[in-house]
Amino acid sequence: MPELPEVESARTVIERAALDRTIIDVDDSDSYECRPHPPGAIRAALVGRRLTVAHRRGKSMWCDTSALAPSGEPGPALGIHLGMSGKIVIANPDGEEIDGGDYWERGRPRGDYRYSRFALSFDDGGALMLVDPRRLGRVRLDPPVEALGPDALTITPGGFRAVMARGTIPVKARLLDQDKIAGVGNLLADQALWLAKVSPSRPVGELSPAEINRLHRALRRTLGAAVAGGGVHTLSIIPFRKAGARCPRDDAEMRRGTVGGRTTWWCAREQA
DNA sequence: TATAGTGTTATCGG
DNA sequence: ACCGATAACACTAT
C-alpha cells in the first residue's frame, strides 16, 4: 500500500505513459472518490485538455493540464491521492496494460477493472484509471498541496529540526503529520524510528539534537532502501512487526501498541 | 468466522 | 492551540 516510494513510482508511470494524450472523456461518477466535486464537474473541467506535467509532494500527486486552444488558459491541476489501496493503471489501445502497483502488491488479473473509481479516456483509445478497492483515495481539481509540509525525500537537516522542535506529541505522530513533513506513512515511520533507536512515543520536544539528527539520517536511509528495494513492504523491520517476534538487532521482544492512532511496533530494549 | 489494516479527513471532547 | 479518539470509506489477508 502506498507511501512515498509507491507514489513516486505511480507518478513516474503517469509521466512515462499518460502525458500529452488528449482527454475525450472522464468517469468521475464516484462522488466519494471525487469529493467535494459533484459527478460531471471534473469531466467538464478536463475534456479536451491534456496532462502536461506530473508532480508529487509527499503522498500527493497532481498533474498540470493544457489549455483548450493555443491562446487559452491552462486548465486546473488534477490531483490524485492513492489512499491506502489505490494504484494507477494505464490501458493502451494496442492491448498493453501498465499496472503502476504491480511491484508492491499482488497482481490483478489483466482487464479486471472492477475497482476502477476514476478514469480518463484518451483520443487514441487508451485510458488512465485509478483502481482503488477500498475507495480511500481521492481525485480533485486544484488540490491544496501548499498545505503539505516539505517532502520527506528532500527535507533539509534544518527543516527536519524545525519539524521536531516543539510539542508534547509523540515523535511518531509528528512524523505522520503530512502538514509538517509530507510522505511518511506508518511503515516508513516504524522503520526509521527503529533504525534511529528512538521510542515512537517520546514527546518530540524532549528529543535531543543528537536523536533528531539520528532520526533524520534514519529516515533518509529508510526512504532510500524502500525505493531501491521496490516499496515499503521490503523494509527490514516488516517481518518483525508481528506477535512473538524479536528484534533482529538485539533479540529483545518486539512490542505492539497504538501511537498517533496507528499500529506501532518497536524494540522493547533499544527503543525504550 | 472474526479481526486488523501500509491513509486521510472531519468532528468531538479534554 | 494542542492532542487523543472515533467514524467514515469497503475490501483483503490472516
Side-chain angles (χ1 to χ4, degrees):
Chain A
M1 297 178 190
E3 298 191 36
L4 187 153
E6 287 80 5
V7 178
E8 175 57 19
S9 173
R11 189 199 67 80
T12 302
V13 166
I14 293 174
E15 189 171 72
R16 267 202 347 256
L19 299 186
D20 299 318
R21 299 167 74 173
T22 300
I23 298 162
I24 57 166
D25 199 6
V26 177
D27 177 1
D28 62 351
S29 57
D30 188 321
S31 60
Y32 187 77
E33 203 87 358
C34 296
R35 67 197 182 281
H37 306 293
I42 300 178
R43 179 178 195 284
L46 296 186
V47 167
R49 303 184 191 273
R50 293 168 283 110
L51 307 181
T52 55
V53 187
H55 306 272
R56 181 194 59 77
R57 181 150 158 194
K59 304 175 205 172
S60 293
M61 290 184 283
W62 68 100
C63 296
D64 296 336
T65 63
S66 67
L68 291 172
S71 57
E73 295 284 309
L78 174 65
I80 300 177
H81 197 292
L82 299 177
M84 208 183 267
S85 66
K87 58 183 181 176
I88 298 296
V89 175
I90 294 176
N92 282 327
D94 60 3
E96 179 195 25
E97 188 176 288
I98 302 168
D99 187 322
D102 258 356
Y103 74 103
W104 57 262
E105 70 158 27
R106 202 193 327 165
R108 167 191 49 83
R110 269 184 59 85
D112 178 358
Y113 305 137
R114 268 182 302 167
Y115 301 124
S116 175
R117 310 298 191 183
F118 175 83
L120 303 176
S121 299
F122 302 115
D123 64 345
D124 57 21
L128 176 153
M129 283 165 275
L130 172 60
V131 173
D132 180 17
R134 290 184 65 181
R135 264 175 112 212
L136 297 169
R138 75 187 303 180
V139 177
R140 59 166 301 180
L141 299 173
D142 293 324
V145 291
E146 62 286 349
L148 293 168
D151 190 78
L153 207 51
T154 51
I155 191 171
T156 62
F160 192 78
R161 277 198 298 278
V163 166
M164 297 298 157
R166 274 170 297 278
T168 58
I169 195 170
V171 57
K172 179 175 175 181
R174 178 61 54 81
L175 282 172
L176 295 176
D177 184 343
Q178 304 299 304
D179 293 350
K180 300 290 193 300
I181 174 171
V184 182
N186 201 26
L187 297 185
L188 286 171
D190 272 9
Q191 174 81 29
L193 288 161
W194 176 76
L195 268 185
K197 303 182 183 178
V198 170
S199 164
S201 51
R202 284 279 300 286
V204 274
E206 293 178 9
L207 295 176
S208 70
E211 286 174 311
I212 294 175
N213 275 335
R214 234 158 61 215
L215 184 54
H216 185 211
R217 277 184 279 118
L219 178 59
R220 298 181 75 115
R221 265 214 281 163
T222 298
L223 285 164
V227 169
V232 294
H233 66 290
T234 65
L235 293 172
S236 65
I237 202 63
I238 302 304
F240 304 96
R241 295 176 86 259
K242 63 180 183 189
R246 310 197 74 84
C247 173
R249 259 189 326 232
D250 73 347
D251 204 42
E253 174 197 358
M254 291 297 291
R255 291 241 171 89
R256 177 191 193 277
T258 299
V259 181
R262 310 304 305 276
T263 296
T264 302
W265 290 86
W266 69 95
C267 168
R269 188 180 302 156
E270 297 175 321
Q271 297 173 268

